Amino acid sequence: MWWLLLHLVVLPLRPRRSARLYARIWAPQGSPLLVTARRQAELLGAALREEVGTPLHVATGMRYGRPSIGAALEALRRSGCT
């Protein structure tokens, strides 16, 4: 019964509906989650640099998605962070 429901109702209809909903929230810069996360990292980095008065690096990494946490850590390593 589940197989029929999945293949006859859910899979034919859900991707189209999801695509329309994503199109409504997608930003020209990309995923709204990524755009917001990058902006937060930028603002946090600026606030921390102002607070402590030394160069600081902030990177965006996501548990599920890209950029990954590993990629963010690698970007920090490349910028000289230890």
Side-chain angles (χ1 to χ4, degrees), residues 9-19:
V9 177
V10 175
L11 292 178
L13 300 177
R14 187 164 186 219
R16 282 184 291 229
R17 182 173 183 262
S18 294

Side-chain angles (χ1 to χ4, degrees), residues 38-67:
R38 285 183 173 153
R39 181 70 176 141
Q40 287 174 332
E42 181 183 310
L43 293 171
L44 177 61
L48 289 172
R49 282 188 291 276
E50 185 177 311
E51 180 72 25
V52 297
T54 60
L56 291 170
H57 300 277
V58 177
T60 300
M62 298 186 188
R63 175 77 173 97
Y64 302 104
R66 293 189 182 127

Side-chain angles (χ1 to χ4, degrees), residues 15-28 30 32:
R16 282 184 291 229
R17 182 173 183 262
S18 294
R20 280 194 311 271
L21 293 172
Y22 274 110
R24 288 175 44 194
I25 64 168
W26 213 256

